[in-house]
Amino acid sequence: MTFRRPTGGAVDRDTVLRFTFNGQELTGHPGDTLASALLAHGVHEIGGSVKLGRPRGIVAAGSEDPTSLVQVETPFPEPMLLATTVELFDGLVARGLAGQGKLAAEPDPARYDAKHVHCDVLVVGAGPAGLAAALTAARSGARVVLVDEQNQAGGAVLGVDDPSTARWVAEVVAELENTSDVLVLQRTTAFGLYQDGFVLALQKRTDHLGFAAPASRARQRVWRIRTKRTVLATGAHERPVVFPDNDRPGVMLASAARTFLHRYGVLPGSRAVVFATNDSAYLAALDLAQSGVDVPLLLDARPEPPAGLAAECAARGIEVRVGQVTGTEGDRRVTAARVGDELVPCDTLLVSGGWNPVVSLFSQARGTLRYDGGLGAFVPGEELPTVRVAGAATGEFDLAACVRQGQESVGSANEVAVPASDAWRTEEPGLVLWRVPGDDNASFVDLQRDATVTDVLRATGAGLRSLEHIKRYTTIGTAHDQGKTSGMIAAGIVAEALGVDLADQRPTTFRPPYTPVSFAALAGRDRGELHDPVRVTPIHPWHVAHGALFEDVGQWKRPWYYPKPGEDRHAAVLRECRAAREGVALMDGSTLGKIDVQGSDAGKFLDLLYTNMMSTLKVGRIRYGVMCGVDGMVIDDGTVIRIGEERWLVTTTTGNAAKVLDWMEEWLQTEWPHLDVHCTSVTDHWATIPLVGPRSRDVLAAVAPELDVSAAAFEFMTWRDTTIAGVPARVCRISFSGELAYEINVTAWHGLAVWEALIAAGEPYGITPYGTETMHVLRAEKGYPIIGQETDATVTPQDLGMSWVVSKKKPDFIGKRSFARPENLRPDRKQLVGLLPVDPEVLLPEGSQIVGTRELPPPPVPMLGHVTSSYPSAALGRTFALALVRSGRDRVGDTLYVPVGDDLVPVTVTESVLYDREGARRDG
Amino acid sequence: MTADLTSLLAAWTDRLAALAPALTAAERPFRTQLTVRTADPSALGETLGVGFPAVPCTFTSGAGAEVLWLGPDEFLVVAPEGVNEEVVRGALGSSRGSVVDTSAQRTAVDLEGPHVRDVLAHGCAVDLHPAAAPAGTCVQTLLARTGVILQVRDGDRVTLLVRSSFAGYLAAWLCDAATEYL
């Protein structure tokens, strides 16, 4: 039997769409939702309930529906969608869910993206009030964005039979679409309203196309809207009344049945009992009766039914009776409504307990809500400076009044005319009724959470009074629908149970998102290669072409090592280390942070910034420096070169370049604005190539014919400007390995060419490119710390054995005061030392703890420190490690133990410098 | 021997060209760029032959040069032929300030076409509507996940200046963001 009417509704009956639900092959039409297509076949039962497994159906016609959760299986598995919001497409396969879905195991192939848009007026909701607001704003020349959740404009007009109002809607939409600077977005839900006019909306762009969705078109888009003013015309949701066994499939909101009838041409059943507390349910009953549904009985909970509407019902053969539904009968579908002792057979039970203005976004905007005792609902309680509410969202349900509110919400005198309508006529005020007494265990407040009146009363019985607490205790309002139909009723039952006035109660806070948003949509294009920028140096293509493996350092890709065929990391790194110590090697150091510091106070500034003295450095010379935080802990290190009387170039570690520049600016702008200093990042401007090893001088001489490279003419810790491979270069004689070494700087434009020139010139010497792993080994052999590896924000320069880098003469510098604190003077601070495993083959895992005894004592085991770096060393012919050890320097020569697996590995504590302690290799 | 200049975006030339006609995207590499910090740029304007922008978030152009407002005392000079760091520092004289050659710090990508604003709106939070960002606008902002300096020119043309190390990311992002407009 079909429940599709031969005419009516916005469905294309000439086109048949096939779909499968719960294994059953069915058909529908374009314009259907999955829910309307199912109802057309008389299918009400969607799935079971999450805890109790009770059958559940379709309660509402839109996103407020608490029950019709489905899993879509094709074209891509997606859990937790509502049958009432899934637009039908050919080939759809779905099944009902019992509260929990299943995420896809494979990656989602669809595109998701985001787009920014700016406007003067954002209107949320394209019902009569929203359309009036948008039209008024558009006619005034404003930039307007109108977003609406449905696939077509109209709002409540879509759920009634009112051709003249529908024509008005079409005319308004046509005018909006023909006005420049007006953007109308259907299938778009404003789900988050944030400060300063920032609103997020999700547009479902191709979901409804199913298999026909073009792959290049983003399936969903997050609109990032920035608006000067916002009009919330979000309408109202009908709420049910709670009564025993109110959860059976076939029990439906009266307005939902009216919407299914008029929008989709679908009847909810053959025989419907209506349970009303207000006039709107009469209109649903009349429309259904006129459409052929047998409506034997309308129960009105009010003592006096509205005379006019009751007479219309009588004329249609609907008995109107004062009373309440007290229960239902049926197995998987309601078969009768219980009215006291009487059973009224029916396959549909329509309920209307009144209307809740949709105030979610208003509440998100920090608008306070006021309880309207007449409506039995919270309504916007105040005006906000830039957010207005119009239409049913304010509790106004008269069409002309809604349109007037929409127009006034944008503050224009332009009159928007709407034809008169009797589709929402009312005679008498509604009655606020939360529930009908009966079996509280079977009276469901939140159908999705299987939460009953018993659960609410248990909460109040346990002493809970706050709606927020009761929400968490009962879970009412925490499901996909966030309590759109249940929250107000729960509040009402609580107030009754506690004997308090709802006007004195604070409603639970509405939070984004208004409707569920998938993580894929939020991630947008920030996936795969666009997930995070990959920063590369100008020499990067060479590294790729020569088989480098890469290490991520912050956002940078740095060559890690360059394995030759058949080499593992261990072999490659030993080879690269050997080349640097015995021949010549080079690496790409372009990622180092570089900051140009200029001004007459630059020396003074650097003296304050670094722990050591910089202002005394002579032009042409270089000094290593350490920076500390105000707590005296090391935050960065690097070289400082003096380019001119008032100009310096500071290098930072790769990962800290931006942080150090920010740190400099913070001090200059907040504490020392009187200093004449300017800092400019030149990190990307320079390509930097350390050329390392005893034969580095030969290679440099070959490419820099104008430069006197002799040790006497080009001293350690000095720099020279020269020409390398025909391009201007700055060469610094510094070393991070202890070997003779030069750091060659050319503009990034020249980086690759100069690198290749060095490779060519170094060929006779077996020049070897090396990566970060070899750099780490070489510096560790010399005991040079790496910021962030040997340090962790609790390490002072003194802890690193670098008291020499802390000036005793300077009157002040950042961190100075902290070095006098007793904590920083304790002799048992953790200090940097070397560790040599007694077995020279054993490699200690980095991060290992260090203990003082051969056997582990019972817990708590006293920990002396941890291993910070650990490598096999070609130069030492053994493994070694650096470690932070309590009173480490006093333990040099001692044997300590490192738990590795089940073993305690004995290690000998040494000075941190393990190779070339006398520094003999520095000059080649 | 003079080494060849190389740009990381050279590898993207074909992929960027394939975005036409929806979006014409081409790198304009190897321009002399100077970061100037000074509270009083009047003398510099005379040397360069183009006035410095007095209005925040704008740029000026003329005499083969462009001057971009980056902050209350910060400008980026895209210098004409023959002007370099020394020349501008000389013009600064004894007044406070700094001049730094940042030529290779950033590269430029010129964008043109009917969908320039659409594509940029996928990653740029700044309002680029012609009424809000007329020709002559210059802002520092984020485009997706990279910082850029964005210059609005007349006729649906925009120039993006991006840090060299981020240029590959920017190109990849542009190619992706243009997908729906091809």
Side-chain angles (χ1 to χ4, degrees), chain B residues 36 38-53 75 91-92 95:
Chain B
V36 177
T38 175
D40 177 17
S42 51
L44 303 183
E46 283 169 31
T47 302
L48 283 168
V50 55
F52 272 51
F75 304 90
L92 198 60
S95 55

PDB file of all heavy atoms in Angstrom, chain B residues 36 38-53 75 91-92 95:
ATOM      1  N   VAL B  36      62.434  48.211   4.982  1.00  0.00           N
ATOM      2  CA  VAL B  36      62.845  49.506   5.525  1.00  0.00           C
ATOM      3  C   VAL B  36      62.053  49.780   6.796  1.00  0.00           C
ATOM      4  O   VAL B  36      60.828  49.651   6.798  1.00  0.00           O
ATOM      5  CB  VAL B  36      62.597  50.632   4.495  1.00  0.00           C
ATOM      6  CG1 VAL B  36      62.951  51.985   5.087  1.00  0.00           C
ATOM      7  CG2 VAL B  36      63.391  50.368   3.220  1.00  0.00           C
ATOM      8  N   THR B  38      61.486  52.844   9.301  1.00  0.00           N
ATOM      9  CA  THR B  38      61.750  54.247   9.601  1.00  0.00           C
ATOM     10  C   THR B  38      60.439  54.939   9.927  1.00  0.00           C
ATOM     11  O   THR B  38      59.397  54.614   9.356  1.00  0.00           O
ATOM     12  CB  THR B  38      62.439  54.979   8.440  1.00  0.00           C
ATOM     13  OG1 THR B  38      62.560  56.361   8.778  1.00  0.00           O
ATOM     14  CG2 THR B  38      61.636  54.867   7.152  1.00  0.00           C
ATOM     15  N   ALA B  39      60.525  55.884  10.844  1.00  0.00           N
ATOM     16  CA  ALA B  39      59.322  56.639  11.190  1.00  0.00           C
ATOM     17  C   ALA B  39      59.122  57.805  10.217  1.00  0.00           C
ATOM     18  O   ALA B  39      58.043  58.368  10.142  1.00  0.00           O
ATOM     19  CB  ALA B  39      59.438  57.163  12.625  1.00  0.00           C
ATOM     20  N   ASP B  40      60.157  58.162   9.475  1.00  0.00           N
ATOM     21  CA  ASP B  40      60.064  59.310   8.578  1.00  0.00           C
ATOM     22  C   ASP B  40      60.618  58.935   7.208  1.00  0.00           C
ATOM     23  O   ASP B  40      61.810  59.103   6.935  1.00  0.00           O
ATOM     24  CB  ASP B  40      60.841  60.498   9.162  1.00  0.00           C
ATOM     25  CG  ASP B  40      60.811  61.684   8.206  1.00  0.00           C
ATOM     26  OD1 ASP B  40      59.952  61.688   7.292  1.00  0.00           O
ATOM     27  OD2 ASP B  40      61.654  62.574   8.362  1.00  0.00           O
ATOM     28  N   PRO B  41      59.765  58.430   6.343  1.00  0.00           N
ATOM     29  CA  PRO B  41      60.267  57.944   5.058  1.00  0.00           C
ATOM     30  C   PRO B  41      60.334  59.019   3.974  1.00  0.00           C
ATOM     31  O   PRO B  41      60.601  58.692   2.820  1.00  0.00           O
ATOM     32  CB  PRO B  41      59.229  56.875   4.694  1.00  0.00           C
ATOM     33  CG  PRO B  41      57.958  57.360   5.320  1.00  0.00           C
ATOM     34  CD  PRO B  41      58.338  58.177   6.541  1.00  0.00           C
ATOM     35  N   SER B  42      60.105  60.297   4.334  1.00  0.00           N
ATOM     36  CA  SER B  42      59.948  61.307   3.272  1.00  0.00           C
ATOM     37  C   SER B  42      61.190  61.392   2.385  1.00  0.00           C
ATOM     38  O   SER B  42      61.074  61.470   1.160  1.00  0.00           O
ATOM     39  CB  SER B  42      59.625  62.666   3.899  1.00  0.00           C
ATOM     40  OG  SER B  42      60.561  62.954   4.918  1.00  0.00           O
ATOM     41  N   ALA B  43      62.368  61.338   2.994  1.00  0.00           N
ATOM     42  CA  ALA B  43      63.586  61.468   2.194  1.00  0.00           C
ATOM     43  C   ALA B  43      63.743  60.275   1.246  1.00  0.00           C
ATOM     44  O   ALA B  43      64.272  60.409   0.144  1.00  0.00           O
ATOM     45  CB  ALA B  43      64.796  61.562   3.116  1.00  0.00           C
ATOM     46  N   LEU B  44      63.269  59.123   1.694  1.00  0.00           N
ATOM     47  CA  LEU B  44      63.409  57.922   0.861  1.00  0.00           C
ATOM     48  C   LEU B  44      62.560  58.034  -0.393  1.00  0.00           C
ATOM     49  O   LEU B  44      62.940  57.592  -1.471  1.00  0.00           O
ATOM     50  CB  LEU B  44      62.995  56.686   1.658  1.00  0.00           C
ATOM     51  CG  LEU B  44      63.749  56.464   2.960  1.00  0.00           C
ATOM     52  CD1 LEU B  44      63.296  55.175   3.610  1.00  0.00           C
ATOM     53  CD2 LEU B  44      65.246  56.412   2.702  1.00  0.00           C
ATOM     54  N   GLY B  45      61.390  58.632  -0.249  1.00  0.00           N
ATOM     55  CA  GLY B  45      60.486  58.774  -1.380  1.00  0.00           C
ATOM     56  C   GLY B  45      61.153  59.560  -2.504  1.00  0.00           C
ATOM     57  O   GLY B  45      61.017  59.212  -3.681  1.00  0.00           O
ATOM     58  N   GLU B  46      61.876  60.588  -2.137  1.00  0.00           N
ATOM     59  CA  GLU B  46      62.543  61.390  -3.170  1.00  0.00           C
ATOM     60  C   GLU B  46      63.594  60.571  -3.898  1.00  0.00           C
ATOM     61  O   GLU B  46      63.698  60.613  -5.121  1.00  0.00           O
ATOM     62  CB  GLU B  46      63.184  62.622  -2.527  1.00  0.00           C
ATOM     63  CG  GLU B  46      62.166  63.693  -2.189  1.00  0.00           C
ATOM     64  CD  GLU B  46      62.765  64.787  -1.311  1.00  0.00           C
ATOM     65  OE1 GLU B  46      63.969  65.057  -1.446  1.00  0.00           O
ATOM     66  OE2 GLU B  46      62.004  65.345  -0.498  1.00  0.00           O
ATOM     67  N   THR B  47      64.351  59.792  -3.139  1.00  0.00           N
ATOM     68  CA  THR B  47      65.398  58.978  -3.761  1.00  0.00           C
ATOM     69  C   THR B  47      64.801  57.961  -4.717  1.00  0.00           C
ATOM     70  O   THR B  47      65.318  57.724  -5.808  1.00  0.00           O
ATOM     71  CB  THR B  47      66.207  58.263  -2.674  1.00  0.00           C
ATOM     72  OG1 THR B  47      66.764  59.240  -1.810  1.00  0.00           O
ATOM     73  CG2 THR B  47      67.308  57.408  -3.288  1.00  0.00           C
ATOM     74  N   LEU B  48      63.707  57.355  -4.294  1.00  0.00           N
ATOM     75  CA  LEU B  48      63.113  56.294  -5.103  1.00  0.00           C
ATOM     76  C   LEU B  48      62.247  56.840  -6.228  1.00  0.00           C
ATOM     77  O   LEU B  48      61.940  56.133  -7.180  1.00  0.00           O
ATOM     78  CB  LEU B  48      62.253  55.382  -4.214  1.00  0.00           C
ATOM     79  CG  LEU B  48      63.019  54.396  -3.357  1.00  0.00           C
ATOM     80  CD1 LEU B  48      62.084  53.784  -2.324  1.00  0.00           C
ATOM     81  CD2 LEU B  48      63.640  53.306  -4.215  1.00  0.00           C
ATOM     82  N   GLY B  49      61.818  58.069  -6.073  1.00  0.00           N
ATOM     83  CA  GLY B  49      60.930  58.633  -7.079  1.00  0.00           C
ATOM     84  C   GLY B  49      59.493  58.189  -6.918  1.00  0.00           C
ATOM     85  O   GLY B  49      58.678  58.329  -7.826  1.00  0.00           O
ATOM     86  N   VAL B  50      59.176  57.645  -5.774  1.00  0.00           N
ATOM     87  CA  VAL B  50      57.785  57.279  -5.502  1.00  0.00           C
ATOM     88  C   VAL B  50      57.519  57.528  -4.016  1.00  0.00           C
ATOM     89  O   VAL B  50      58.366  57.207  -3.167  1.00  0.00           O
ATOM     90  CB  VAL B  50      57.497  55.812  -5.879  1.00  0.00           C
ATOM     91  CG1 VAL B  50      58.445  54.853  -5.197  1.00  0.00           C
ATOM     92  CG2 VAL B  50      56.051  55.444  -5.570  1.00  0.00           C
ATOM     93  N   GLY B  51      56.391  58.154  -3.740  1.00  0.00           N
ATOM     94  CA  GLY B  51      56.081  58.468  -2.355  1.00  0.00           C
ATOM     95  C   GLY B  51      55.813  57.215  -1.551  1.00  0.00           C
ATOM     96  O   GLY B  51      55.347  56.202  -2.085  1.00  0.00           O
ATOM     97  N   PHE B  52      56.130  57.264  -0.260  1.00  0.00           N
ATOM     98  CA  PHE B  52      55.816  56.134   0.612  1.00  0.00           C
ATOM     99  C   PHE B  52      54.346  56.201   0.995  1.00  0.00           C
ATOM    100  O   PHE B  52      53.794  57.282   1.135  1.00  0.00           O
ATOM    101  CB  PHE B  52      56.711  56.167   1.857  1.00  0.00           C
ATOM    102  CG  PHE B  52      58.020  55.455   1.648  1.00  0.00           C
ATOM    103  CD1 PHE B  52      58.814  55.751   0.553  1.00  0.00           C
ATOM    104  CD2 PHE B  52      58.455  54.486   2.540  1.00  0.00           C
ATOM    105  CE1 PHE B  52      60.015  55.098   0.349  1.00  0.00           C
ATOM    106  CE2 PHE B  52      59.655  53.832   2.345  1.00  0.00           C
ATOM    107  CZ  PHE B  52      60.441  54.135   1.248  1.00  0.00           C
ATOM    108  N   PRO B  53      53.707  55.047   1.159  1.00  0.00           N
ATOM    109  CA  PRO B  53      52.275  55.075   1.490  1.00  0.00           C
ATOM    110  C   PRO B  53      52.042  55.694   2.860  1.00  0.00           C
ATOM    111  O   PRO B  53      52.708  55.340   3.840  1.00  0.00           O
ATOM    112  CB  PRO B  53      51.874  53.600   1.468  1.00  0.00           C
ATOM    113  CG  PRO B  53      53.149  52.833   1.578  1.00  0.00           C
ATOM    114  CD  PRO B  53      54.231  53.689   1.016  1.00  0.00           C
ATOM    115  N   PHE B  75      58.194  49.173   5.954  1.00  0.00           N
ATOM    116  CA  PHE B  75      57.835  49.189   4.531  1.00  0.00           C
ATOM    117  C   PHE B  75      58.655  48.138   3.795  1.00  0.00           C
ATOM    118  O   PHE B  75      59.762  47.816   4.187  1.00  0.00           O
ATOM    119  CB  PHE B  75      58.130  50.566   3.921  1.00  0.00           C
ATOM    120  CG  PHE B  75      57.449  51.700   4.641  1.00  0.00           C
ATOM    121  CD1 PHE B  75      58.094  52.348   5.698  1.00  0.00           C
ATOM    122  CD2 PHE B  75      56.173  52.097   4.296  1.00  0.00           C
ATOM    123  CE1 PHE B  75      57.470  53.372   6.391  1.00  0.00           C
ATOM    124  CE2 PHE B  75      55.545  53.130   4.982  1.00  0.00           C
ATOM    125  CZ  PHE B  75      56.193  53.768   6.040  1.00  0.00           C
ATOM    126  N   ALA B  91      70.100  57.238   1.691  1.00  0.00           N
ATOM    127  CA  ALA B  91      69.010  58.210   1.723  1.00  0.00           C
ATOM    128  C   ALA B  91      68.442  58.373   3.127  1.00  0.00           C
ATOM    129  O   ALA B  91      67.935  59.430   3.489  1.00  0.00           O
ATOM    130  CB  ALA B  91      67.902  57.769   0.766  1.00  0.00           C
ATOM    131  N   LEU B  92      68.546  57.314   3.892  1.00  0.00           N
ATOM    132  CA  LEU B  92      68.037  57.374   5.277  1.00  0.00           C
ATOM    133  C   LEU B  92      68.887  58.320   6.115  1.00  0.00           C
ATOM    134  O   LEU B  92      68.406  58.917   7.084  1.00  0.00           O
ATOM    135  CB  LEU B  92      68.050  55.958   5.872  1.00  0.00           C
ATOM    136  CG  LEU B  92      67.208  55.687   7.096  1.00  0.00           C
ATOM    137  CD1 LEU B  92      65.739  55.958   6.805  1.00  0.00           C
ATOM    138  CD2 LEU B  92      67.387  54.228   7.523  1.00  0.00           C
ATOM    139  N   SER B  95      69.091  59.468  10.216  1.00  0.00           N
ATOM    140  CA  SER B  95      67.870  59.259  10.996  1.00  0.00           C
ATOM    141  C   SER B  95      67.749  57.790  11.407  1.00  0.00           C
ATOM    142  O   SER B  95      68.291  56.896  10.765  1.00  0.00           O
ATOM    143  CB  SER B  95      66.647  59.700  10.193  1.00  0.00           C
ATOM    144  OG  SER B  95      66.609  59.035   8.960  1.00  0.00           O
TER     145      SER B  95
END
